[in-house]
């Protein structure tokens, strides 16, 4: 929560700002709500996270905002040249932050060497003309950041260099600076604020649907590393024209400066503050609209802009920018850039040069608002202290984007601009990512203490509505905080990847906050949230006082219904002191600690009451508890919860287990419902005529017809009860369809969670209804058992699983499997050697032998033959190479000794290598010389059982 000069006095009374938001990671077991799907008509081959327009987790089919962009997670892209995916694999052991904790999805792609890249396919069905990149590059040695570029390639061809910087990131918490954001001394250690967001129009033609686009660290990209978190892609509409009855700020002398800011102001820019304020005065007196045309207009110094009762409009959030340039270090307390009363503001971008949330760093909000029936719509805000700090009656924040904010994103309150009330305010369809405090908050203040010790009291807030908003990766606050008041509705929101604190909290703020007397919290999705700030192990969803500051005050009549809490880092749901709470119909999956905890550590509940009914919990880890009440004074009434044995039991579809050997139809997953027989993050299927819960089913064009499983997303899973005739090894053929190959798409596990198949890569078949086969080998005991199909990465369909006794027939084990290399030249990535296309190839860095390329089979497999190819039309050349094998990607043994191997176009540029059968997971081709080019070159690596 943002504290300016008025709020700071209140903050002094708060002894400890104990808990604001949370952290969690996605475990390897079947996960809960993860990367939502964009729908059957416009599915993306890579995972698309919560902000995508059709983000719809299972418990809340419309959770999250509908946005004009689609988000591609970097860790789900195709990594080339040795780039690696870095993800959070366990709960943090300290109270400090990390890049994985602050990343969306708690994962990112790490590009640290020349030629390393991450690539996606434009599966939006629309051209892409605009990119927004959330990424991290290193700080300077002495602090204060650097600038750099990262190269964009389209279909393998360089398109443009994209500007990135670290000037508004990298603050340090070591040396007694915990939970501050203005220490830029790297020597103090314990960094936080890793990621910033940069955007640009695509140079030249838009990226066509179906084309690939890549971010590549070329030699000209001089930062030591590029940690790419997520890329938002879109095709913005044309700039809006100047409306009738309006005054353009340029007519009053405002001058645009379109030099890219890239983390700092242009020193040559003109100060347009006086001109804009003059135009505001004219618009107010003449009853006209204030028009902000295309361009970047600077407001310099410590004064902002004030307006009353007018409309302020721009040409669109991609085109019109008002940029605040405050001399840093700064000693003058700052109000917001825009201080507006009963105004409509719409369709422009706000940016600033602030380097912390403190006065010295040039803080100051983007927009403080009050009055009646005010509207803020289509505003994109970055790098300010807060986005919207708003009070009054009947106001609305909607359709807005807030990224890389130093404190709160959207704070609806009863104190902004000296107001005393906040009633009937709404925030809907907003997207918030990367805030340094709460992404969104309802902030009902009871009193503030004045400089002379007196107190100013405020009216408790009433009837505040938060609906269908998306909040992602706040690094210093909650996803959504409800602090006091009554009659609030928080519904249909998507909250994910809090770095250190609670994901969704309903309570009051410290000693000076209003009591919370009623609120409905419904159909929200809280993913990978909760965290270890102050070493507290905070829950993902929290109800009660004491979530911020002191354990004081009343929290009463909070009804939490139909929410989903998935992959919490610690307890999924926590209660501190509160009364008459209703927790009902909650879906909890894979909690990091306990499912529902009353009075968990640091959240005491000496008294209280709650009714807990109809809730479902799956994925509880050994040693943890579905429900625990640590308080003798808190009365909880439980009924019809899954841990009480009242859920529908799991059973084979149709009542009879599927026979193995035989074919298991993907649509015949077990019965029992969400969290029992399957786990889905959104309900998309249209085959309810086949089965009433056909959540992800559709009619198939594959041979035999029927239905296939679709809308695949990392973290989803489906269970199948089978009856295995004889214990032994079985070949598994999966009928799959995918527009593009998906590495590590799925794996099959048993009831104990053991991985039976290894990572299975789905090959590219060209379309969602063009079918092919992916293969694996599994070893099964005899008898009835439950197998789980785990969706590890989305972007494919599945029609059936065919089990045949015995090891698979001689087959290319490498087809579609993941590949890596010692180095990569340009975009000739290692993934080309397993894509089944002889015309695409891997090429290493030039003049730097030895070089290698290797294939990961996903599990140890027996092989006795390797076939190597180069493009058939290439001239002859001889490469000196050996074959090595490993079971752990660490210790390699020689499978075939080094020798000169000639690739001759007369024989299809194909070399066949045979050797005694050996069982390895990783097969590496090590190249020490090439007569045709000073690099290693291979277009296909085929690995055969015999």
């Amino acid at each position: 929560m943002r504290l300016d000069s008025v709020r700071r006095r209140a903050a002094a009374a708060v002894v400890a700002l104990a808990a604001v938001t949370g952290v969690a990671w996605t475990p390897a077991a079947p996960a809960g709500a993860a990367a939502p799907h964009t729908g059957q008509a416009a599915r993306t081959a890579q995972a698309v996270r919560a902000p995508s327009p059709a983000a719809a987790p299972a418990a809340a089919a419309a959770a999250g905002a509908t946005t004009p962009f689609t988000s591609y997670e970097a860790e789900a892209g195709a990594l080339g040249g040795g780039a690696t995916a870095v993800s959070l694999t366990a709960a943090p052991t300290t109270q400090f932050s990390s890049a994985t904790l602050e990343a969306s999805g708690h994962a990112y792609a790490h590009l640290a060497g020349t030629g390393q890249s991450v690539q996606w396919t434009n599966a939006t069905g629309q051209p892409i003309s605009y990119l927004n990149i959330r990424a991290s590059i290193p700080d300077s040695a002495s602090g204060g950041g650097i600038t750099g570029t990262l190269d964009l390639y389209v279909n393998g061809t360089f398109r443009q260099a994209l500007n990135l910087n670290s000037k508004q990131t990298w603050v340090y918490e070591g040396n007694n600076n915990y939970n501050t954001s203005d220490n830029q001394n790297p020597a103090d250690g314990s960094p936080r604020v890793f990621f910033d967001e940069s955007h640009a129009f695509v140079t030249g033609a838009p990226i066509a649907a179906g084309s690939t686009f890549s971010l590549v660290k070329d030699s000209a990209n001089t930062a030591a590393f590029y940690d790419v978190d997520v890329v938002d892609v879109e095709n913005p509409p044309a700039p809006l024209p100047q409306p009738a009855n309006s005054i353009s700020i340029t007519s009053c002398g405002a001058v645009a400066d379109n030099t890219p800011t890239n983390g700092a102001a242009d020193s040559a820019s003109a100060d347009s503050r006086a001109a804009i304020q003059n135009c505001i005065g004219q618009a107010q007196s003449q009853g006209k609209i204030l028009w902000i045309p295309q361009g970047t207009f600077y407001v310099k110094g410590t004064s902002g802009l004030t307006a009353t009762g007018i409309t302020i409009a721009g040409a669109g959030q991609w085109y019109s920018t008002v940029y605040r340039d405050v001399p840093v270090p700064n000693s003058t307390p700052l109000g917001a850039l825009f201080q507006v009363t009963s105004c409509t503001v719409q369709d422009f971008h706000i940016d600033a040069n602030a380097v912390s949330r403190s006065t010295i760093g040039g803080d100051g909000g983007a927009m403080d608002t009050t009055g009646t029936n005010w509207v803020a719509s289509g505003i994109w805000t970055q790098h300010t202290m807060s986005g919207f700090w708003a009070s009054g009656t009947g106001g609305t924040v909607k359709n807005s984007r807030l990224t890389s904010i130093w404190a709160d994103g959207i704070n609806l309150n009863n104190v902004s601009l000296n107001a005393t009330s906040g009633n009937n305010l709404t925030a809907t369809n907003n997207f918030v990512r990367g805030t340094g405090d709460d992404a969104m908050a309802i902030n009902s203040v009871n009193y503030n203490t004045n400089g002379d010790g007196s107190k100013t009291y405020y009216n408790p807030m009433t009837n505040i509505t938060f609906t269908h908003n998306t909040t992602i990766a706040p690094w210093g606050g909650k996803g959504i905080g409800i602090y006091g008041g009554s009659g609030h509705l928080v519904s249909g929101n998507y909250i994910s990847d809090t770095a250190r604190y609670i994901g969704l909290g309903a309570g009051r703020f410290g000693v000076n906050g209003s009591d919370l007397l009623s609120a409905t919290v419904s159909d929200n999705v809280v993913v990978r949230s909760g965290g270890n700030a102050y070493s507290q192990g905070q829950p993902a969803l929290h109800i009660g006082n004491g979530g911020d500051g002191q354990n004081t005050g009343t929290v009463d009549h909070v009804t939490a219904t139909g929410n989903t809490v998935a992959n919490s880092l610690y307890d999924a749901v926590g209660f501190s002191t509160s009364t008459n709470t209703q927790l009902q119909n909650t879906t909890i999956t894979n909690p990091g600690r306990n499912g529902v905890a009353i009075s968990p550590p640091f959240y005491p509940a000496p008294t209280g009451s709650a009714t807990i009914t109809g809730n479902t919990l799956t994925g509880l880890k050994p040693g943890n508890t579905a429900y625990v009440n640590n308080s003798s004074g808190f009365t909880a009434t439980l009924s019809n919860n899954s841990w009480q044995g009242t859920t529908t039991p799991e059973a084979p579809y149709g009542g009879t287990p599927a026979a193995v050997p035989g074919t298991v139809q993907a649509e015949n997953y077990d019965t029992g419902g969400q969290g029992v027989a399957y786990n889905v993050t959104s309900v998309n299927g249209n085959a309810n005529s086949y089965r009433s819960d056909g959540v992800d089913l559709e009619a198939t064009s594959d041979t035999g017809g029927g239905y296939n499983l679709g809308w695949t997303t990392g973290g989803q899973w489906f269970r199948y009860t089978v009856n295995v005739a004889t214990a032994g090894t079985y070949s598994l053929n999966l009928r799959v369809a995918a527009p593009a190959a998906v590495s590590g798409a799925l794996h099959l596990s048993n009831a104990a969670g053991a991985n039976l198949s290894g990572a299975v890569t789905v090959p590219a078949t060209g379309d969602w209804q063009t079918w092919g086969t992916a293969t694996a080998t599994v070893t099964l005991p005899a008898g009835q058992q439950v197998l789980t199909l785990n969706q590890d990465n989305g972007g494919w369909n599945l029609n059936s699983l065919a089990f045949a006794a015995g090891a698979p027939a001689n087959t290319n084990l490498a087809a579609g499997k993941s590949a890596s290399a010692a180095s990569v030249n340009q975009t000739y990535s290692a993934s080309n050697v397993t894509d089944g296309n002889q015309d695409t190839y891997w090429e290493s860095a030039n003049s730097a032998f030895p070089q290698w390329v290797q294939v990961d089979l996903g599990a140890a497999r027996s092989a006795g033959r390797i076939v190597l190819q180069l493009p058939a039309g290439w001239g002859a050349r001889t490469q000196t190479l050996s074959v090595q094998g490993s079971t752990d990607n660490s210790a390699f043994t020689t499978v075939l000794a080094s020798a000169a191997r000639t690739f001759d176009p007369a024989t299809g540029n194909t070399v066949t290598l045979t050797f005694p059968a050996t069982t390895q997971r990783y097969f590496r081709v090590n190249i020490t010389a090439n007569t045709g080019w000073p690099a290693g070159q291979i277009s296909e690596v085929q690995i055969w059982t015999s």
Side-chain angles (χ1 to χ4, degrees), residues 13 229 283 300 318 359 396 514 551 675 744 844 884 897:
D229 181 22
K300 295 191 171 187
W318 309 270
T359 297
T396 300
S514 302
N551 301 310
S844 74
Q884 300 170 335

Side-chain angles (χ1 to χ4, degrees), residues 301-500:
T302 56
S303 297
L305 302 166
T306 61
T308 301
I310 63 170
T311 292
I312 303 173
Q317 59 189 264
W318 309 270
Y319 306 106
S320 302
T321 298
V322 180
Y323 187 94
R324 188 173 206 177
D325 179 9
V326 177
V328 173
N330 172 52
S331 60
T332 303
L334 300 174
L337 171 61
F338 285 89
Q339 299 174 49
V340 294
T341 301
S342 303
C343 286
T344 294
V345 291
Q346 60 193 36
D347 301 322
F348 60 93
H349 179 229
I350 298 174
D351 204 347
N353 68 325
V355 294
S356 79
R357 67 175 287 174
S358 300
T359 297
I360 193 173
D363 72 349
M367 190 170 296
D368 280 6
T369 298
T370 193
T372 58
N373 300 322
W374 53 262
V375 175
S377 177
I379 304 295
W380 186 354
T381 304
Q382 294 185 276
H383 304 125
T384 59
M385 184 180 183
S386 60
F388 299 97
W389 186 273
S391 61
T393 300
T396 300
V397 181
K398 61 183 180 180
N399 306 328
S400 292
R401 193 183 319 193
L402 301 99
T403 56
S404 296
I405 303 293
W406 281 107
D408 288 358
I410 300 172
N411 186 306
L412 303 186
N413 57 65
N414 55 350
V415 297
S416 178
L417 293 182
N418 300 314
T420 58
S421 298
N423 305 312
N424 301 306
L425 305 177
T426 297
T428 185
N429 202 57
N430 300 289
F431 177 86
V432 189
R433 181 172 59 206
T435 58
D437 212 317
D438 296 341
M440 298 182 65
I442 299 170
N443 176 21
S444 184
V445 178
N446 181 23
Y447 67 85
N448 274 327
T449 302
N450 304 311
D452 61 2
S454 64
K455 295 180 178 178
T456 299
Y457 285 87
Y458 305 89
N459 300 313
M461 296 176 69
T462 59
N463 303 325
I464 309 302
T465 300
F466 282 179
T467 54
H468 302 294
N469 302 285
T470 291
T471 71
I472 297 177
W475 51 264
K478 292 185 179 71
I480 292 180
I482 306 168
Y483 305 109
S486 62
H488 308 321
L489 173 65
V490 176
S491 181
N493 303 287
Y494 185 96
I495 301 160
S496 74
D497 305 308
T498 55
R500 301 205 301 204

